[in-house]
Amino acid sequence: DMENRTNSYWSAPCNAYLVNKDLKLESVIRVVCENYDVTIDALKGKSRIKDVVEARQICFYILHKKMKLKSVAVGDMFNKNHATVLHSCRTIENFMIHEIALKNKINDIITQVKIT
């Protein structure tokens, strides 16, 4: 009986954490999709349409740089290589230096998702 209690004690907080993290990740993707008017399927696909590419790269940037998810994990979510994720993050960081509008847009998305 002691074993069962121990298991339930440890499994609850871990599961709660994972669920919260998953919901946060989903909300990042959802908010980016809404802001760019693209579908999740388009993001996860191979589309090279400018808006889709930018939205995808912003997802990578927020998930990897702001939410500290490993590049491999982010890549797996989108069927992409971890190097693609790292390249996208660099690309977005470079754009943000010169394009204030893009930087503001990304900060708005981060605010909407309430990433602390």
Side-chain angles (χ1 to χ4, degrees):
D1 188 56
M2 185 65 190
E3 198 177 325
N4 286 342
R5 261 192 312 204
T6 312
N7 284 344
S8 66
Y9 173 75
W10 285 110
S11 63
C14 290
N15 289 344
Y17 172 74
L18 288 173
V19 167
N20 284 336
K21 196 153 179 80
D22 284 347
L23 289 174
K24 266 281 203 276
L25 302 183
E26 281 174 28
S27 66
V28 168
I29 297 167
R30 201 176 58 249
V31 170
V32 171
C33 284
E34 285 166 7
N35 275 273
Y36 278 86
D37 197 25
V38 298
T39 65
I40 290 177
D41 285 345
L43 279 194
K44 292 189 175 187
K46 295 193 182 302
S47 173
R48 300 294 299 143
I49 296 166
K50 186 180 182 291
D51 279 358
V52 178
V53 172
E54 192 171 298
R56 188 185 295 132
Q57 290 183 331
I58 288 170
C59 279
F60 292 171
Y61 171 78
I62 294 173
L63 294 171
H64 179 55
K65 292 292 186 178
K66 298 296 175 188
M67 298 186 74
K68 308 288 185 239
L69 222 65
K70 290 194 184 326
S71 58
V72 176
V74 176
D76 287 348
M77 289 169 67
F78 292 86
N79 305 314
K80 299 282 186 280
N81 189 299
H82 80 103
T84 305
V85 174
L86 296 176
H87 173 72
S88 295
C89 290
R90 278 195 297 274
T91 302
I92 291 296
E93 283 169 340
N94 288 335
F95 275 141
M96 283 168 60
I97 294 166
H98 305 292
E99 295 184 31
I100 302 306
L102 180 68
K103 186 175 186 170
N104 291 339
K105 191 169 192 173
I106 292 170
N107 286 333
D108 284 347
I109 291 167
I110 291 168
T111 305
Q112 285 172 48
V113 183
K114 299 178 181 65
I115 299 170
T116 45

